[in-house]
């Protein structure tokens, strides 16, 4: 049995997580012909690129000390009741999924599934995700997730441009989520694409438009019939992208049924914590004719020599690790852990459960609309799913009253506020919101006087088609059945629970258990990304600390934590370089040198 070395700090994070013992290090050095690590470093790392000083970083802490400090910082966050919406919603992560996926190293330490034979569990979970998206959007094919809804919309714009290559203008409806519009604009600029933003109902297509993006329901909750808009787009030779709310699609006519070519969105509200904006798994679905322009991972099914089904990554010739600078996209991964949670949420609840959740959310929203109208408030849109736009004299005043009551609403200009409901909403929330608009807790009428709220979804927008009919979504509605299914999939996968993973790339290999604890703390998991700044002081402190430490380690003046993947970091860096040259009057410099040995995302990003 291996003995632990003497004079070693047993509580040291490094000792607990850097695998080789002193004896093993000595054995490796002996094999290489060096007497110590310093001599190996001297031989391997040129002296002129080594740092000649100690890094100015705080003293290392033990796991217990670090967790205590993180807990203290996180308590500076204030978790208010959020009704902000805008693509992000509180939800309930089923305990069987939280404990056995989100908090389970068998799922969160597994590596990118390049080797299909040791990744069958995750590949099945991702196949479930793809099937869920195909069913809910009524489109032909879906990938294994992307990074976020806004990025997915930008990728959809690229697909449209590839499908209609000789045009340069992309239309974006002005009632899309603001963050989506911003990302699409940023992505369009270096591609030479012109973005036109406007009212979808008044927009006239011409032969310069290659595609269009619309939100369903709109960012302020309105439900529109887009069928005629899609027809006009197709008649003009353009491709249509619909950014659709995934839960709403259990009740609303899916994009594929009114002619959309691409559907994108966020699956966060299917059991994934808010987490101040991420990480979450976006979805991307399209028609079969566009499948080779689709970004990201795609899981397919083959059969082995004995006829048994076997999962593997499919159509990889689209991807950066093969096509490099000619790749469909620079994105080389999927949000696997979050996609697995979302897909298992659908497996656990099934089609009846998802529809019941959506119906309850809609019923409560409709009840609030009735109550506010009874108070004399104006509800801007007759048709909605989970979000209403309330016209007010001053949105600032209403938001102040809401803040005093411990909840957050969304300002929609100076004279309107948005209120979004979700899976966690209760009748007490309606009472709270009514008191805010009433200005007092004294009621003008009893709740029962309102009666049963009407359905605010127009008949033409109702979904009549079935979804999630595969047995996998209809046979795991008890905790024990779900638990066994999750464990069966986990046993078919390689993770750090079974072996070291000797692959070197940009993917993180270590998620220490102590590092995973905070993601389940309410102060970390339940903050909306658009919560007021005075409620997010803890997050800001954590981000500031990390930025300062990374700046010291890398030697740069500043750090951005905005990119949510290595591919996005590369792209952001190239955009910064491009803008730097443009600021110096050298925008003509458009050649990027990339070594042939570079990771495939490098040429794909360039």
């Amino acid at each position: 049995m291996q003995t632990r070395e003497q004079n070693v700090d047993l509580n040291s994070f490094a000792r607990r997580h850097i695998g080789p013992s002193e004896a093993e290090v000595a054995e490796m050095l002996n094999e290489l012909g060096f007497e110590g690590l310093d001599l190996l470093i001297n031989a391997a790392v040129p002296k002129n690129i080594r740092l000649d000083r100690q890094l100015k970083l705080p003293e290392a802490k033990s796991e217990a000390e670090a967790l205590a400090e993180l807990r203290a910082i996180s308590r500076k966050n204030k978790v208010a009741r959020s009704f902000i919406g805008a693509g992000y919603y509180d939800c309930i992560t089923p305990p069987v999924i939280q404990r056995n996926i989100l908090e389970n190293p068998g799922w969160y330490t597994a590596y990118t599934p390049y080797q299909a034979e040791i990744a069958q569990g995750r590949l099945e979970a991702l196949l479930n995700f793809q099937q869920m998206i195909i069913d809910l959007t009524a489109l032909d094919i879906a990938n294994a997730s992307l990074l976020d809804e806004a990025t997915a919309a930008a990728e959809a714009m690229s697909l449209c441009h590839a499908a209609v290559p000789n045009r340069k203008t992309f239309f974006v409806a002005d009632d899309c989520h603001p963050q989506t519009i911003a990302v699409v604009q940023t992505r369009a600029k270096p591609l030479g694409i012109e973005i036109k933003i406007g009212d979808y109902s008044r927009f006239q297509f011409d032969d310069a438009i290659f595609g269009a993006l619309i939100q369903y329901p709109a960012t302020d909750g309105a439900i529109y019939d887009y069928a005629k808009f899609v027809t006009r787009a197709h008649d003009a030779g353009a491709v249509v992208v619909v950014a659709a709310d995934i839960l709403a699609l259990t009740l609303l006519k899916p994009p594929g049924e009114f002619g959309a070519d691409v559907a994108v969105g966020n699956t966060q509200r299917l059991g994934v914590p808010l987490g101040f904006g991420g990480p979450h798994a976006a979805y991307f679905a399209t028609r079969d004719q566009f499948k080779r322009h689709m970004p990201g991972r795609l899981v397919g099914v083959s059969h082995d020599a004995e006829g048994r089904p076997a999962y593997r990554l499919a159509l990889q010739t689209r991807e950066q690790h093969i096509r490099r600078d000619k790749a469909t996209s620079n994105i080389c991964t999927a949000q696997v852990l979050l996609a697995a949670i979302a897909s298992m949420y659908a497996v656990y609840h099934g089609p009846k459960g998802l529809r019941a959740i959506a119906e309850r959310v809609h019923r409560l929203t409709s009840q609030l609309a009735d109550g506010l109208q009874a108070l004399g408030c104006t509800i801007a849109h007759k048709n909605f799913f989970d979000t209403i736009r309330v016209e007010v004299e001053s949105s600032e005043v209403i938001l102040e009253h809401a803040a005093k009551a411990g909840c957050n609403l969304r300002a929609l200009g100076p004279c309107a506020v948005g209120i979004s409901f979700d899976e966690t909403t209760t009748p007490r929330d309606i009472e709270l919101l009514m008191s805010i608009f009433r200005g007092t807790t004294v009621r003008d009428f009893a709740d029962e006087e309102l009666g049963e709220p009407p359905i605010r979804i127009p008949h033409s927008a109702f979904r009549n088609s079935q979804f999630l009919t595969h047995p996998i979504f209809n046979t795991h509605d008890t905790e024990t059945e779900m638990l066994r299914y999750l464990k069966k999939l986990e046993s078919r996968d390689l993770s750090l629970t079974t072996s070291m993973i000797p692959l070197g790339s940009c993917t993180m290999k270590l998620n220490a258990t102590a590092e995973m604890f905070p993601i389940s703390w309410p102060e970390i998991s339940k903050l909306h990304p658009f919560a007021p700044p005075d409620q997010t002081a803890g997050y800001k402190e954590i981000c500031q600390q990390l930025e300062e430490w990374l700046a010291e380690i890398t030697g740069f003046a500043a750090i951005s934590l905005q990119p949510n993947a290595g591919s996005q970091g590369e792209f952001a860096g190239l955009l910064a370089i491009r803008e730097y040259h443009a600021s110096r009057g050298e925008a003509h410099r458009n050649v990027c040198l990339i070594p042939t040995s570079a990771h495939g995302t490098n040429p794909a990003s360039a």
Side-chain angles (χ1 to χ4, degrees):
M1 179 182 293
Q2 177 181 306
T3 59
R4 297 187 182 274
E5 293 78 13
Q6 300 298 315
N7 303 319
V8 173
D9 181 1
L10 296 182
N11 289 321
S12 161
F13 183 92
R15 197 209 64 81
R16 291 288 190 187
H17 295 285
I18 297 177
S21 66
E22 287 190 4
E24 290 167 335
V25 171
E27 183 179 352
M28 287 187 284
L29 289 171
N30 182 63
E31 183 70 22
L32 294 170
F34 293 96
E35 294 184 2
L37 280 176
D38 288 341
L39 293 174
L40 172 60
I41 292 170
N42 289 339
V45 183
K47 186 175 182 179
N48 64 323
I49 67 169
R50 282 183 245 154
L51 192 66
D52 60 358
R53 62 174 177 82
Q54 291 293 316
L55 291 172
K56 297 177 182 178
L57 297 173
E59 288 292 323
K61 289 180 168 60
S62 68
E63 290 183 342
E65 291 169 335
L67 281 172
E69 182 178 348
L70 270 174
R71 176 63 90 175
I73 295 174
S74 72
R75 288 190 175 121
K76 297 178 183 179
N77 291 331
K78 179 183 177 183
V79 181
R81 199 76 183 89
S82 178
F83 303 103
I84 297 173
Y88 302 94
Y89 306 88
D90 200 1
C91 61
I92 299 170
T93 307
V96 66
I97 294 176
Q98 178 173 330
R99 177 56 60 91
N100 294 288
I101 297 183
L102 181 62
E103 298 173 351
N104 181 357
W107 285 87
Y108 68 66
T109 68
Y111 184 65
T112 301
Y114 288 124
Q115 293 176 262
E117 67 276 13
I118 56 172
Q120 289 294 290
R122 271 172 305 141
L123 289 174
E124 181 167 332
L126 292 175
L127 190 71
N128 292 344
F129 179 88
Q130 293 175 184
Q131 188 62 54
M132 172 184 75
I133 299 304
I134 289 169
D135 283 5
L136 289 173
T137 61
L139 287 166
D140 301 325
I141 191 168
N143 71 12
S145 79
L146 289 176
L147 301 169
D148 56 76
E149 180 172 339
T151 299
E155 293 288 337
M157 176 183 67
S158 296
L159 179 148
C160 295
H161 199 214
V164 189
N166 297 320
R167 302 182 183 185
K168 287 292 185 181
T169 305
F170 187 69
F171 172 74
V172 179
D174 56 10
D175 52 12
C176 289
H177 293 319
Q179 67 271 20
T180 300
I181 296 175
V183 171
V184 168
Q185 288 175 314
T186 299
R187 185 70 70 87
K189 185 177 179 181
L191 298 176
I193 293 172
E194 178 188 358
I195 299 296
K196 283 191 175 181
I197 301 173
D199 183 341
Y200 90 94
S201 64
R202 299 178 182 177
F203 184 71
Q204 298 297 318
F205 285 90
D206 57 39
D207 58 8
I209 307 295
F210 66 82
L213 171 66
I214 48 181
Q215 192 85 42
Y216 183 60
T219 191
D220 64 355
I223 296 174
Y224 298 115
D225 184 350
Y226 289 122
K228 292 181 180 178
F229 175 83
V230 173
T231 299
R232 294 203 312 271
H234 288 167
D235 289 345
V239 181
V240 177
V241 181
V242 176
D245 183 284
I246 194 68
L247 186 63
L249 294 184
T250 64
L251 300 182
L252 300 183
K253 181 181 292 186
E257 291 183 10
F258 58 77
D261 303 290
V262 184
V264 299
N266 191 356
T267 63
Q268 174 269 318
R269 69 188 310 174
L270 301 186
V272 180
L274 280 165
F276 198 39
H280 304 143
Y283 72 82
F284 191 111
T286 189
R287 299 196 180 278
D288 187 72
Q289 70 196 80
F290 301 122
K291 64 187 176 186
R292 292 197 175 274
H293 298 304
M294 186 173 64
R297 292 273 183 258
L298 181 66
V299 178
V301 182
S302 295
H303 290 85
D304 65 14
E306 298 179 5
R308 296 174 300 186
Y311 309 112
R312 86 283 187 232
L313 295 177
L315 292 181
Q316 292 190 72
T317 50
R318 301 167 296 116
E319 296 189 54
Q320 45 73 36
H321 63 286
I322 294 176
R323 296 199 73 194
R324 300 182 71 78
D325 59 310
K326 295 181 175 61
T328 301
S329 166
N330 71 331
I331 292 176
C332 61
T333 188
Q335 291 282 28
V336 177
L337 182 66
L338 298 317
I341 291 172
S343 73
M344 292 307 169
Y345 182 94
V347 169
Y348 192 50
H349 287 297
K352 292 181 180 178
L354 290 184
R355 186 183 285 271
I357 292 169
E359 288 174 344
R360 179 179 177 276
V361 171
H362 178 66
R363 185 170 61 252
L364 290 172
T365 310
S366 183
Q367 186 176 341
L368 174 66
D370 276 1
L372 292 178
Q373 285 178 322
L375 291 179
C377 297
T378 300
I379 307 300
H381 303 298
K382 181 174 68 173
N383 299 319
F384 52 80
F385 166 58
D386 64 358
T387 298
I388 57 174
R389 180 189 183 107
V390 187
E391 307 294 344
V392 295
E393 290 185 7
S394 170
S395 56
E396 184 179 357
V397 170
I398 291 293
L399 262 60
E400 287 177 359
H401 290 169
K404 290 177 182 178
C407 62
N408 297 326
L409 310 183
R410 179 185 176 194
L412 294 171
C415 298
V417 296
I419 304 174
S420 294
F421 279 2
D422 56 50
E423 182 186 9
T424 69
T425 304
T426 68
R428 288 188 178 182
D429 292 319
I430 295 178
E431 293 180 16
L432 173 64
L433 291 165
M434 292 283 287
S435 70
I436 291 169
F437 282 86
R438 188 187 291 116
T440 175
T441 56
V442 178
R443 301 184 185 184
D444 302 296
F445 48 83
D447 289 343
E448 54 267 21
E449 293 178 19
L450 292 173
E452 183 67 19
I455 300 297
R456 304 300 183 98
I457 298 172
H459 183 73
S460 61
F462 260 117
R463 178 173 195 138
N464 296 312
S465 56
Q466 292 185 314
F467 56 92
L468 303 186
T469 57
H470 191 282
I472 206 73
F473 298 105
N474 294 276
T475 52
H476 299 90
D477 60 351
T478 69
E479 180 168 310
T480 50
E481 289 168 331
M482 190 67 188
L483 179 65
R484 290 165 189 156
Y485 180 55
L486 294 177
K487 286 298 179 182
K488 181 179 76 172
L489 296 190
E490 181 187 343
S491 70
R492 295 176 177 175
D493 235 303
L494 182 76
S495 70
L496 290 181
T497 63
T498 49
S499 169
M500 69 172 289
I501 301 175
L503 295 172
S505 78
C506 57
T507 304
M508 182 167 53
K509 305 302 188 305
L510 171 66
N511 293 71
T513 305
E515 294 170 338
M516 297 298 286
F517 275 180
I519 67 172
S520 296
W521 296 345
E523 301 92 340
I524 297 295
S525 66
K526 285 192 169 292
L527 255 66
H528 193 283
F530 303 141
D534 64 335
Q535 297 175 12
T536 62
Y539 257 116
K540 285 188 286 188
E541 184 173 336
I542 291 171
C543 292
Q544 183 179 355
Q545 279 189 355
L546 182 57
E547 287 172 2
E548 290 174 354
W549 297 343
L550 289 175
E552 171 65 11
I553 292 169
T554 61
F556 285 104
I559 296 290
S560 170
L561 301 178
Q562 184 62 30
N564 52 2
S567 57
Q568 302 308 289
E570 292 172 11
F571 189 74
L574 288 169
L575 289 182
I577 292 170
R578 183 178 183 274
E579 291 300 313
Y580 167 73
H581 287 309
S583 71
R584 291 157 49 92
E586 298 179 345
H588 63 281
R589 300 179 69 165
N590 59 2
V591 176
C592 183
L593 301 179
I594 301 170
T596 56
S597 60
H599 194 287
T601 54
N602 300 163
S605 296

